[in-house]
Amino acid sequence: MKTKTEELLTRYGFVILFAMICCLLWGSAFPCIKIGYEWCGAGGNAPSKILFAGMRFTLAGIMAVIVCSIISKKPLIPKSGKTVAHIAILSIFQTILQYLFFYIGLSNTSGVKASVIEGANVFISLIVSCCIFKMEKFTVRKLMGSIIGFAGVVLINLGGGLDAAFSLTGEGFILISTVAYAFSSVIMKRFSAEDDPMLLSGWQFIIGGLVMTAAGALTGGTVDISASKGVLMLIYLAFVSAAAYTLWAVLLKYNPVSRVSVFGFMNPVFGVILSAVLLKEYGAFSLRGAIALILVCAGIYIVNCKHDETGEHNV
């Protein structure tokens, strides 16, 4: 029998609401990270970007652990070696690998392109969940939605030819980060069956953040937080990670990976809009960009639409 919490978090209306909140927050991160680089003097080299990321995620983890401990009315502290191992594995994929490549890649591409490429995590998550971990069936409509959504990702990168618009340290690193994130979503789903997803979320950020902070500092990175606006931006970005990923982790605990991850296609939509407003990157509002976003939205619909049993075909 489902608990009240499980009933609430599996209702599709609430899944839509909470997932869209997460995507709005994540979408805002694309332009805000670039602004944060400028305000904190962290845009000049890779070690500074890594240090900036490490500070953000360490703060995010502390926020998450404190707030969730208050909500749970008990301290969220790992109590077994197995839980610590789960946190360590999750931090490698969710924080260290994903954001190591993401922060460097973002500095070498536009916020618009980065936000759309990140949408690839949706279909990669489906493939990992269905084909590697065998957590759900891979169906024709999921395959169709993935292909159509990915077509939008490719289309936004075609300007002037794929070779001219694609670089390993820019778009390539962003794409690598999406693979790490896709694995982290499935790993979170599996580990949350045994451990509190709020505990896993908070502590993996702390561990991953400390590793990245140390790596950035030891390789010569510098971050200037003497200006109040830089501190406020760092706090906001930490809040984005703490709030969005913790809520996302809870949704993954109570719902199939495909049902939740498909809303990640909305990250590029919000990222494009906010990049245009904050960074004046209007390229995505060309005809090509508009078609790409339509394809991304179509992918959400196809993966999420309901089919009766006779109309569903397993791959």
Side-chain angles (χ1 to χ4, degrees):
M1 184 175 179
K2 291 184 178 180
T3 64
K4 290 183 178 180
T5 299
E6 190 173 357
E7 287 182 357
L8 175 67
L9 292 171
T10 54
R11 289 181 185 174
Y12 197 54
F14 283 100
V15 173
I16 293 174
L17 175 62
F18 295 148
M20 292 291 277
I21 291 172
C22 292
C23 293
L24 176 61
L25 289 170
W26 278 325
S28 73
F30 293 104
C32 286
I33 287 170
K34 283 204 165 187
I35 294 171
Y37 284 166
E38 180 182 348
W39 288 356
C40 295
N45 55 70
S48 295
K49 296 181 180 70
I50 294 170
L51 177 58
F52 182 84
M55 293 169 65
R56 172 194 174 189
F57 295 125
T58 302
L59 181 57
I62 294 171
M63 283 183 181
V65 169
I66 292 175
V67 172
C68 292
S69 293
I70 294 172
I71 293 173
S72 303
K73 298 180 180 179
K74 62 179 180 181
L76 292 183
I77 300 175
K79 296 182 179 179
S80 70
K82 188 174 184 181
T83 298
V84 172
H86 286 174
I87 291 170
I89 293 170
L90 190 59
S91 70
I92 290 172
F93 286 92
Q94 166 58 28
T95 301
I96 299 172
L97 288 180
Q98 181 192 177
Y99 287 105
L100 180 67
F101 285 101
F102 177 78
Y103 268 71
I104 297 173
L106 186 61
S107 67
N108 295 311
T109 188
S110 70
V112 167
K113 292 176 74 174
S115 66
V116 177
I117 294 170
E118 278 284 297
N121 75 68
V122 176
F123 12 90
I124 298 172
S125 294
L126 290 174
I127 293 170
V128 172
S129 176
C130 298
C131 301
I132 298 179
F133 286 87
K134 309 293 184 182
M135 298 176 73
E136 54 186 290
K137 292 182 179 179
F138 196 36
T139 64
V140 169
R141 66 181 172 83
K142 290 177 183 177
L143 177 61
M144 289 176 59
S146 297
I147 292 173
I148 291 173
F150 190 68
V153 174
V154 173
L155 183 60
I156 203 69
N157 279 284
L158 285 179
L162 187 60
D163 290 340
F166 189 94
S167 70
L168 175 62
T169 57
E171 293 83 4
F173 276 18
I174 296 292
L175 189 57
I176 291 172
S177 80
T178 69
V179 175
Y181 175 74
F183 273 90
S184 77
S185 294
V186 178
I187 292 170
M188 172 60 83
K189 170 71 175 177
R190 174 160 290 188
F191 287 171
S192 63
E194 302 177 41
D195 296 303
D196 186 335
M198 293 187 291
L199 179 148
L200 292 174
S201 177
W203 283 99
Q204 71 85 17
F205 271 135
I206 291 175
I207 291 177
L210 288 174
V211 169
M212 294 184 73
T213 299
L218 291 174
T219 52
T222 58
V223 172
D224 180 10
I225 54 174
S226 59
S228 58
K229 64 180 183 179
V231 173
L232 291 175
M233 181 59 76
L234 190 61
I235 291 173
Y236 173 72
L237 288 169
F239 166 76
V240 166
S241 295
Y245 189 69
T246 299
L247 182 54
W248 196 260
V250 173
L251 289 175
L252 284 171
K253 177 179 175 66
Y254 294 107
N255 296 276
V257 172
S258 61
R259 190 184 195 193
V260 177
S261 65
V262 71
F263 284 95
F265 279 130
M266 288 304 300
N267 288 349
V269 176
F270 289 123
V272 164
I273 294 171
L274 294 171
S275 289
V277 172
L278 298 175
L279 300 177
K280 311 302 181 185
E281 294 179 350
Y282 298 110
F285 293 135
S286 64
L287 177 61
R288 187 182 74 250
I291 294 173
L293 290 182
I294 289 172
L295 289 172
V296 163
C297 292
I300 294 178
Y301 174 77
I302 292 171
V303 173
N304 238 6
C305 67
K306 294 182 179 179
H307 290 251
D308 58 40
E309 292 184 1
T310 60
E312 186 65 272
H313 303 282
N314 295 331
V315 174

